Amino acid sequence: MSITFYYNPMSSASRVQLTLAELDIPHEKVFVDLKAQDQRKPEFLKLNPNGKIPTIVIDGQPMFESIAIQIYLGERFGVERGLWPALGSREHMQALTWLCWAQVSLGTPLFTYMHNTSEWAPPEARNAKQAETSLVELHKALEVLDARIGEVGNIVHDKWTLVDADVWSVLGWGLQMAKVDPSKYTHLSAWLERGAKRPAGCAQMAAEQGH
């Protein structure tokens, strides 16, 4: 088995990077310099015609889109490690549901709010009304996630899974960058702290703080 992971820190590749760390499977990491436009080079476009990261090559087969990569890694490597539910189980249904929910219902308002408030975006590209609307939607999603964690312990069930790792990877830095305080969500706050104490989470935070 061979795995080559193309990444750049502080991007959507971080969620895949954390999953690979949680699975503890050998892989080669290839840094893609986005400022140097490495993602537009012909050799990279052969792997991902969109010219984006994350991109992963497993046994010679390239994959892109983080959610597809996460599901594949979970189903191929995560079940035997207790980090992904068995195919066909009720928990498997929940894993797929919440993983997709996090990409869309949670991720959309988070990144919309960040785009419209962050100094990364030029002033003319920011929209105060969109920021206001997306912040309301973000808090609704955080309420849903807080209730789910309070109900079952983590996101899928009482044990930490790759779904938790994926969502934690996004919120761990996303809420900080967006300057959104999650402290009023008690279950979510405790869950964020648990993720930060996991070896894979500690390693990722250290690596990204170094960039």
Side-chain angles (χ1 to χ4, degrees), residues 31 77 142 147 162 171:
F31 174 74
F77 305 107
L142 293 177
L162 296 180
L171 290 182

Side-chain angles (χ1 to χ4, degrees), residues 69-82:
I69 295 170
Q70 297 288 64
I71 292 170
Y72 181 84
L73 290 173
E75 293 184 347
R76 180 168 176 181
F77 305 107
V79 178
E80 65 182 28
R81 290 170 170 81

Side-chain angles (χ1 to χ4, degrees), residues 99-154:
L99 191 64
C100 293
W101 174 87
Q103 292 264 348
V104 181
S105 299
L106 176 64
T108 298
L110 173 61
F111 291 111
T112 300
Y113 179 71
M114 289 175 63
H115 175 79
N116 285 288
T117 58
S118 173
E119 295 180 356
W120 294 350
E124 62 272 15
R126 302 176 208 158
N127 183 303
K129 185 61 179 178
Q130 281 190 351
E132 180 183 346
T133 301
S134 59
L135 183 59
V136 171
E137 291 301 312
L138 173 59
H139 278 289
K140 288 180 180 178
L142 293 177
E143 288 174 5
V144 169
L145 184 57
D146 183 66
R148 174 64 181 180
I149 294 169
E151 178 185 0
V152 302
N154 286 296

Side-chain angles (χ1 to χ4, degrees), residues 30-48:
V30 178
F31 174 74
V32 178
D33 190 338
L34 302 180
K35 292 182 179 179
Q37 295 288 297
D38 285 354
Q39 74 276 21
R40 305 307 307 173
K41 293 179 179 178
E43 56 269 27
F44 185 80
L45 292 174
K46 288 180 180 179
L47 303 176
N48 186 342

Side-chain angles (χ1 to χ4, degrees), residues 5-191:
F5 174 52
Y6 296 83
Y7 78 104
N8 188 286
M10 300 297 289
S11 72
S12 58
S14 295
R15 61 206 316 164
V16 177
Q17 182 172 331
L18 183 59
T19 289
L20 289 167
E22 286 278 5
L23 291 170
D24 193 26
I25 49 180
H27 61 280
E28 177 188 359
K29 292 172 63 176
V30 178
F31 174 74
V32 178
D33 190 338
L34 302 180
K35 292 182 179 179
Q37 295 288 297
D38 285 354
Q39 74 276 21
R40 305 307 307 173
K41 293 179 179 178
E43 56 269 27
F44 185 80
L45 292 174
K46 288 180 180 179
L47 303 176
N48 186 342
N50 303 288
K52 294 182 179 181
I53 53 170
T55 297
I56 196 166
V57 179
I58 303 176
D59 295 333
Q61 177 62 50
M63 287 188 72
F64 46 85
E65 297 301 329
S66 60
I67 192 168
I69 295 170
Q70 297 288 64
I71 292 170
Y72 181 84
L73 290 173
E75 293 184 347
R76 180 168 176 181
F77 305 107
V79 178
E80 65 182 28
R81 290 170 170 81
L83 289 167
W84 188 262
L87 183 66
S89 67
R90 297 172 67 90
E91 290 79 9
H92 184 259
M93 295 168 66
Q94 291 298 310
L96 297 180
T97 296
W98 287 99
L99 191 64
C100 293
W101 174 87
Q103 292 264 348
V104 181
S105 299
L106 176 64
T108 298
L110 173 61
F111 291 111
T112 300
Y113 179 71
M114 289 175 63
H115 175 79
N116 285 288
T117 58
S118 173
E119 295 180 356
W120 294 350
E124 62 272 15
R126 302 176 208 158
N127 183 303
K129 185 61 179 178
Q130 281 190 351
E132 180 183 346
T133 301
S134 59
L135 183 59
V136 171
E137 291 301 312
L138 173 59
H139 278 289
K140 288 180 180 178
L142 293 177
E143 288 174 5
V144 169
L145 184 57
D146 183 66
R148 174 64 181 180
I149 294 169
E151 178 185 0
V152 302
N154 286 296
I155 296 180
V156 176
H157 46 50
D158 61 331
K159 295 182 175 61
W160 188 270
T161 68
L162 296 180
V163 177
D164 294 284
D166 180 274
V167 182
W168 180 86
S169 179
V170 175
L171 290 182
W173 67 269
L175 293 179
Q176 182 178 3
M177 295 300 295
K179 298 179 181 178
V180 172
D181 182 6
S183 60
K184 70 176 181 178
Y185 305 108
T186 55
H187 303 299
L188 174 61
S189 296
W191 174 85

